[in-house]
Amino acid sequence: MKNFKHSMYSVLFLLMTTVMFSQGKIKGTVVDNELGGSLPGVNVKIKGTTSGTSTDIDGKFQLNSTTNSGQVVITFIGYKSITVDYAVSNGQTVDLGTIKLSSDSSEIEEVVIIGKGVIDLAKDRKTPIAVSSIKANEIQAKIGTADITQTMVNTPSVYVSGQAGGFGDSRISVRGFQQDNTAFLLNGQPINGMEDGKMYWSNWSGMADIANAIQIQRGLGSSKLAISSVGGTVNFVTKATELKEGGFMSMGVANDDYFKSTVAYNTGMSKKGWGASFMISHWQGDGYNEGTRGEGQNYFLSVGYKASDKHSFNFLVTGAPQSHDQNFTKRISDYLGFGRKYNNNYGYLNGKYISERTNFYHKPVANFNWDYKINSKMDLSTVLYASWGRGGGTGNYGSGKKSISELNPYTGTNQNTYIDFNQIYANNSADADGIGSSANYAIRASMNNHAWYGVVSNLKTKLNEDLSLNLGLDLRTYHGDHYRQITNFLGLNGWTESRFLRDNNHVIPSPNTLPSATNTVTESYNIDPWHAFFNKAADNQKIDYDYSETITYGGVFGQLEYSKDNLSAFFQGSVSNQSHQRFDYYDYQEDFQDSEKVTNLGYNAKAGGSYKFGVNHSVYVNAGFYNRQPYHDNIYLNFTNEVNESTSNEKILGLEAGYNFKSKRFNASINAYRTTWEDRVVSTSRVITALTETIGTTTLVQGDLVYTSNLGVKQQHTGLELDFTYNPINKFDVRGFASVGNWEYKDDAVSRRFDESNNLLDETRTDVDGGKVGDGAQTTWGLGAKYEIVKGLSIDADWRNYDKLYANSGAIKDNLELPSYDLVDAGITYKMLVGKDNKNSVVFRINMNNVFDEVYLSEITGTPIKSSAFLSGTSGPTYQSAGRVYKGIADGNQGYFGFGRTWNVSLRYNF
């Protein structure tokens, strides 16, 4: 009996084990729904378990199931996730057959396959933010000849201007804050200028070719770094090493003799885990406006290695050497007389075109990503990065400039127009010894070279089912060199100049007692960006100035997030320390060339929460405070080694709340925000040159120093934003956006003057309360649609309206409002499958921007001129009475007209 019981227990145990640990197998093949090609590297996981795998090079997968039925969840970069039901008998294999994935243009969190821990996308944090995303297919379709900033125009509270300056000269504002108050990241790497926080898009002309996605996070954003996210944060996520072998070739043409060709190839990921991707392109064009020719190349190389399931590595290097001629703002009367494309920054020498203003630059960027999956609850992601910039911008040097005088048919008066290089050359050639000085004319280049190295690392750990923690560091070191060199002597053999050498008082006293120095240069330098990268002027061939700076930055950051059921909340904080030092080799005596080192501590803190109710609804609220260090250019006075003692950290407070609705066919979000920015200081100094000068009640004598501090007024930006997408039928998509803002200066603008002992001499207050912030349309509306007529053939169009756009004039009480305007862009795409088994494709695209050729002012700069102002002096006819107004704007104002109708056509072969 006892043996019988043991036998029964053994049989029962065996049956239970068989049921519990049955080894049924599931297999299948995953392909692209449109092209039919296999998809390697696709994630395949049994829902509710840890059992998962990835497809092989042929798109095939196989995994074990411990249950007789369930669901397989299939996800892949850039494709819509799908769930497939299965049923399998014990010990059997079920074939799910061919599973087709369709591309997904609505979400971008899945485009990141390397460095995800340091690329802060909105989806990585469960508490929502105000965000808009743009994926590679839309970037490639609509970018044409424009800067990468143009892809963001169909976004609430975003305004792009400055395109009329030339290739790469556009600017972008977010919620009314300019580029130095918007953070830009490349794969988690900060790319705002270390000296002034600005962006120069000509250095990033290859971004349209290499970007996998762009995410615009308006307001506080999800970044954990101590960065300038006042207006928002823009994440550029580039391509990495592709998993599948293939590539593409493309060619495009556009208005004004624009041409671009590109070739790219991916080796695919080998069975040993190695892969490489590369791309190279060339572009050139005459530019929309006169005298804005440009030319450049883009290159990209990425090498990836997956050592194991725990370790992945990727090395990337990219660059975009370019040169482009520039156009500066003009009076409206100049455009009305000589045409909206008028530019007087160029001329001809013996029939050969020469531009006085050319920007040339080459800035390779490299980064090395390491993703380490420590265990099931802990991940470490690190990026090491570097950039090396070489180049600058040309301009006139000396007072011997000559221009051609022409009649302006609009004003009826003669004025200087194009540069008379023939006369300049003749004057220079007649110089007795051929060595020019301040009375002559040459073309110089202002060089801005740098070397920048950094590391960002983030450790993410799941403390329990509801709580996760991120900890990380952000280290940077930057060295910049700035000097001038001659690029064209225009008939001279050299150039000579003298200057006084400053001491630790930093100023030229009156009367002067400082020693002087003289130098003569005889070499001119090529402005080709490739040449400029490898060739630098010798110290004895530099003119006007020669200084450098070193900036070091160290920061730590952390984020704690709680998420359970329908509730989520987070807290983020960071602390950073910056040090600055300036070195002036040209204008200082040798003993005084090194400035005092300045160190500043800053921090920020953000917190928020969200709640989901029902299946489709969620609400959120976020708040943040930034205590931000001043930029390097505000720390030292008047481009000298003198430290600005009046600078202090700037204070930014952000509050925002929103509501999101998501369903199968309709998604919408409404956001409200309030941001204040204060405690900005810009200071200058001067020497008293008169025998005496009284400021306030204090009498100063010749040689005394006076410091002027302009305490930047408070800015307050409030607004509402709406964006939505609607898919009423499978082949028709609609999207729209609206933003209504009220961006104003608050209180008084304060100017204070101090003596050398920091005694207050006087204080002037100017009422600017309620003055409108310029350089961005405060009200925008947009509507777009895309319709697939037949399989492979689609049309799309976007309409935008810009209103409440004010002049870029700084803090003034009564700013100038520009006329509102509308723009319509449209495009046609045809995609044809070709090759064996239709695995390749040809894509043909036509774009037309500003379809109705709207004539509009895109920006006004400088002190605005009212139509009631006198044409000249303090009496006589006004602009209004003389008929010298354009759409209500006095024609003496300076600015840009926007582009008229433009077009581009491209052909792309994918293989």
Side-chain angles (χ1 to χ4, degrees):
M1 188 70 178
K2 185 176 181 180
N3 291 334
F4 175 78
K5 287 184 178 179
H6 280 301
S7 299
M8 290 298 294
Y9 289 149
S10 298
V11 171
L12 182 61
F13 177 76
L14 180 62
L15 289 172
M16 292 176 62
T17 303
T18 303
V19 173
M20 292 175 61
F21 299 101
S22 58
Q23 296 296 313
K25 298 183 184 296
I26 305 167
K27 69 177 183 177
T29 303
V30 183
V31 301
D32 183 290
N33 180 52
E34 193 169 14
L35 300 178
S38 61
L39 293 175
V42 176
N43 300 311
V44 183
K45 185 177 180 180
I46 296 177
K47 189 174 182 179
T49 74
T50 58
S51 179
T53 187
S54 298
T55 58
D56 62 18
I57 195 69
D58 298 315
K60 298 182 182 298
F61 70 89
Q62 180 172 299
L63 73 165
N64 297 325
S65 173
T66 59
T67 60
N68 291 331
S69 63
Q71 293 180 316
V72 174
V73 180
I74 301 170
T75 60
F76 190 49
I77 301 162
Y79 288 81
K80 295 179 180 178
S81 301
I82 64 171
T83 301
V84 180
D85 295 329
Y86 73 88
V88 60
S89 301
N90 295 338
Q92 301 298 312
T93 299
V94 61
D95 189 350
L96 300 181
T98 299
I99 301 168
K100 298 180 179 180
L101 295 187
S102 300
S103 62
D104 180 8
S105 60
S106 62
E107 298 289 348
I108 76 164
E109 67 272 11
E110 287 299 326
V111 305
V112 183
I113 62 173
I114 194 76
K116 189 168 184 176
V118 295
I119 303 176
D120 289 312
L121 298 179
K123 201 74 173 181
D124 295 333
R125 196 182 70 200
K126 296 182 180 180
T127 305
I129 55 175
V131 63
S132 300
S133 301
I134 307 162
K135 288 190 66 176
N137 56 356
E138 183 177 351
I139 297 170
Q140 294 162 5
K142 296 188 176 183
I143 188 66
T145 65
D147 299 341
I148 191 68
T149 54
Q150 195 65 26
T151 62
M152 300 178 241
V153 295
N154 295 304
T155 305
S157 299
V158 169
Y159 188 74
V160 177
S161 59
Q163 304 97 315
F167 290 108
D169 285 350
S170 66
R171 303 187 314 280
I172 182 173
S173 67
V174 180
R175 288 184 174 175
F177 293 101
Q178 296 180 345
Q179 295 182 142
D180 55 347
N181 286 300
T182 299
F184 296 90
L185 302 173
L186 175 69
N187 292 344
Q189 165 189 343
I191 58 175
N192 292 74
M194 286 284 283
E195 299 171 35
D196 55 14
K198 295 180 180 179
M199 288 292 297
Y200 300 92
W201 294 108
S202 55
N203 300 338
W204 304 98
S205 60
M207 192 70 78
D209 294 315
I210 67 173
N212 234 353
I214 304 172
Q215 189 173 86
I216 306 103
Q217 302 174 4
R218 303 182 301 279
L220 296 173
S222 64
S223 176
K224 297 180 283 291
L225 304 184
I227 50 180
S228 305
S229 304
V230 183
T233 303
V234 179
N235 282 287
F236 295 101
V237 183
T238 70
K239 301 177 187 297
T241 306
E242 299 287 343
L243 299 177
K244 182 181 178 183
E245 183 182 7
F248 72 88
M249 295 182 291
S250 69
M251 181 177 65
V253 295
N255 53 279
D256 299 293
D257 291 330
Y258 182 88
F259 171 80
K260 181 176 181 179
S261 58
T262 307
V263 62
Y265 176 71
N266 313 307
T267 65
M269 197 66 71
S270 71
K271 293 182 179 179
K272 293 185 177 181
W274 285 95
S277 301
F278 83 88
M279 182 218 69
I280 189 168
S281 68
H282 174 84
W283 65 271
Q284 63 187 57
D286 289 344
Y288 180 81
N289 288 312
E290 298 175 359
T292 55
R293 300 179 183 181
E295 179 179 0
Q297 297 80 38
N298 309 318
Y299 58 86
F300 169 86
L301 173 66
S302 179
V303 178
Y305 175 55
K306 187 172 182 179
S308 65
D309 290 338
K310 287 182 174 292
H311 298 278
S312 296
F313 304 92
N314 198 88
F315 172 76
L316 180 153
V317 61
T318 183
Q322 59 80 37
S323 64
H324 70 278
D325 300 338
Q326 294 179 294
N327 176 34
F328 294 162
T329 57
K330 307 286 188 299
R331 292 172 302 201
I332 296 174
S333 60
D334 293 343
Y335 295 119
L336 297 179
F338 300 107
R340 287 183 285 128
K341 295 186 175 185
Y342 172 66
N343 175 21
N344 61 353
N345 285 341
Y346 72 100
Y348 294 87
L349 178 60
N350 298 324
K352 181 181 178 181
Y353 167 90
I354 297 179
S355 174
E356 180 185 75
R357 298 285 181 173
T358 301
N359 175 277
F360 60 101
Y361 216 78
H362 185 184
K363 181 178 180 175
V365 175
N367 61 50
F368 178 77
N369 281 278
W370 171 38
D371 283 350
Y372 175 30
K373 188 171 185 61
I374 300 172
N375 54 48
S376 61
K377 295 184 177 182
M378 188 176 295
D379 297 275
L380 177 67
S381 189
T382 302
V383 57
L384 300 169
Y385 64 86
S387 70
W388 306 269
R390 303 288 187 271
T394 67
N396 59 299
Y397 200 60
S399 59
K401 184 175 181 176
K402 301 297 179 182
S403 298
I404 299 171
S405 180
E406 294 187 41
L407 176 68
N408 184 324
Y410 170 75
T411 63
T413 58
N414 286 317
Q415 66 180 72
N416 289 335
T417 56
Y418 307 99
I419 301 172
D420 190 348
F421 284 111
N422 288 319
Q423 186 61 56
I424 291 171
Y425 193 92
N427 293 348
N428 284 347
S429 298
D431 196 88
D433 59 1
I435 303 298
S437 60
S438 59
N440 294 95
Y441 175 97
I443 297 179
R444 52 77 186 161
S446 300
M447 304 297 291
N448 298 291
N449 302 336
H450 78 255
W452 183 353
Y453 304 93
V455 58
V456 179
S457 186
N458 181 71
L459 176 69
K460 181 178 181 180
T461 181
K462 199 169 181 61
L463 301 178
N464 56 45
E465 289 300 317
D466 307 322
L467 201 60
S468 63
L469 175 67
N470 285 266
L471 296 172
L473 57 85
D474 175 12
L475 306 176
R476 315 172 209 170
T477 180
Y478 173 95
H479 183 83
D481 294 314
H482 310 273
Y483 57 89
R484 282 182 168 177
Q485 62 190 30
I486 297 293
T487 64
N488 194 333
F489 282 113
L490 291 168
L492 295 171
N493 297 320
W495 190 276
T496 188
E497 62 186 19
S498 301
R499 76 276 187 194
F500 294 110
L501 299 178
R502 304 169 190 259
D503 56 20
N504 58 346
N505 290 317
H506 309 292
V507 296
I508 308 298
S510 180
N512 177 53
T513 57
L514 296 175
S516 63
T518 300
N519 66 306
T520 300
V521 300
T522 56
E523 295 183 22
S524 60
Y525 294 87
N526 193 330
I527 61 172
D528 176 82
W530 287 98
H531 183 275
F533 187 80
F534 296 104
N535 296 274
K536 181 180 177 182
D539 289 344
N540 64 359
Q541 295 297 310
K542 297 174 181 178
I543 58 171
D544 201 22
Y545 57 78
D546 177 17
Y547 67 91
S548 62
E549 72 278 322
T550 297
I551 305 171
T552 58
Y553 176 102
V556 293
F557 57 84
Q559 173 182 289
L560 187 66
E561 183 169 30
Y562 171 82
S563 178
K564 185 175 183 180
D565 299 328
N566 295 327
L567 178 67
S568 69
F570 79 97
F571 174 79
Q572 282 179 204
S574 66
V575 178
S576 63
N577 188 69
Q578 295 182 9
S579 70
H580 303 258
Q581 189 169 18
R582 190 178 187 275
F583 311 91
D584 197 315
Y585 314 109
Y586 195 82
D587 288 318
Y588 276 79
Q589 301 171 42
E590 187 173 353
D591 292 341
F592 307 104
Q593 291 179 351
D594 297 0
S595 77
E596 175 188 342
K597 183 180 287 187
V598 177
T599 302
N600 294 308
L601 186 70
Y603 63 89
N604 68 42
K606 295 187 282 187
S610 71
Y611 182 72
K612 294 176 65 176
F613 55 98
V615 178
N616 310 109
H617 311 273
S618 66
V619 293
Y620 74 91
V621 60
N622 297 322
F625 179 77
Y626 293 79
N627 185 280
R628 189 181 71 180
Q629 304 98 318
Y631 286 119
H632 178 87
D633 286 354
N634 289 333
I635 290 176
Y636 296 97
L637 286 165
N638 302 333
F639 294 99
T640 70
N641 285 351
E642 184 176 10
V643 175
N644 181 359
E645 301 292 348
S646 299
T647 57
S648 62
N649 284 13
E650 300 167 6
K651 313 299 190 302
I652 300 103
L653 176 64
L655 304 171
E656 57 190 27
Y659 162 76
N660 296 317
F661 175 85
K662 289 190 175 184
S663 66
K664 183 177 180 180
R665 294 196 176 274
F666 181 74
N667 299 317
S669 65
I670 300 174
N671 309 290
Y673 64 90
R674 181 183 186 274
T675 305
T676 57
W677 177 33
E678 54 189 315
D679 287 352
R680 290 173 294 149
V681 177
V682 178
S683 300
T684 58
S685 64
R686 66 180 178 90
V687 177
I688 300 295
T689 56
L691 291 176
T692 62
E693 181 178 335
T694 300
I695 300 178
T697 59
T698 303
T699 300
L700 304 174
V701 299
Q702 190 178 65
D704 284 349
L705 279 171
V706 177
Y707 299 92
T708 301
S709 293
N710 295 305
L711 281 67
V713 297
K714 180 179 179 179
Q715 284 181 221
Q716 180 175 291
H717 296 223
T718 59
L720 291 172
E721 300 165 337
L722 164 71
D723 60 321
F724 69 87
T725 60
Y726 179 44
N727 176 225
I729 57 176
N730 288 338
K731 295 184 177 182
F732 185 48
D733 295 300
V734 180
R735 66 180 182 183
F737 71 90
S739 58
V740 179
N742 184 33
W743 311 332
E744 294 183 335
Y745 295 101
K746 309 300 289 185
D747 306 324
D748 293 341
V750 180
S751 177
R752 294 173 180 166
R753 288 189 286 183
F754 301 86
D755 65 14
E756 293 179 74
S757 300
N758 211 29
N759 296 311
L760 180 64
L761 301 175
D762 68 354
E763 178 177 291
T764 304
R765 289 182 173 269
T766 304
D767 177 22
V768 297
D769 192 57
K772 298 297 184 180
V773 176
D775 206 31
Q778 301 200 16
T779 300
T780 60
W781 308 85
L783 190 65
K786 179 180 179 180
Y787 179 64
E788 186 178 16
I789 301 172
V790 295
K791 187 173 180 60
L793 178 63
S794 64
I795 59 173
D796 57 83
D798 293 289
W799 161 80
R800 299 182 300 279
N801 172 267
Y802 297 99
D803 196 10
K804 303 299 180 183
L805 171 63
Y806 295 89
N808 185 12
S809 303
I812 59 175
K813 178 80 170 180
D814 189 17
N815 204 351
L816 182 67
E817 184 178 353
L818 280 63
S820 62
Y821 63 93
D822 299 85
L823 295 177
V824 174
D825 303 330
I828 301 174
T829 300
Y830 178 63
K831 187 171 186 177
M832 178 174 59
L833 303 182
V834 297
K836 185 179 179 180
D837 300 325
N838 286 336
K839 291 185 177 182
N840 303 332
S841 65
V842 175
V843 181
F844 179 72
R845 174 74 182 182
I846 302 175
N847 285 313
M848 183 171 289
N849 297 322
N850 194 1
V851 172
F852 299 105
D853 203 22
E854 174 97 351
V855 178
Y856 63 98
L857 289 166
S858 63
E859 63 179 291
I860 293 291
T861 61
T863 303
I865 300 173
K866 299 293 184 180
S867 59
S868 57
F870 296 111
L871 280 173
S872 62
T874 58
S875 62
T878 64
Y879 282 91
Q880 185 68 54
S881 64
R884 295 280 299 274
V885 294
Y886 174 80
K887 294 186 177 181
I889 306 296
D891 64 23
N893 285 289
Q894 294 194 355
Y896 287 126
F897 277 92
F899 284 2
R901 183 186 297 115
T902 60
W903 59 269
N904 61 82
V905 179
S906 63
L907 184 68
R908 177 176 171 129
Y909 172 58
N910 301 298
F911 59 91

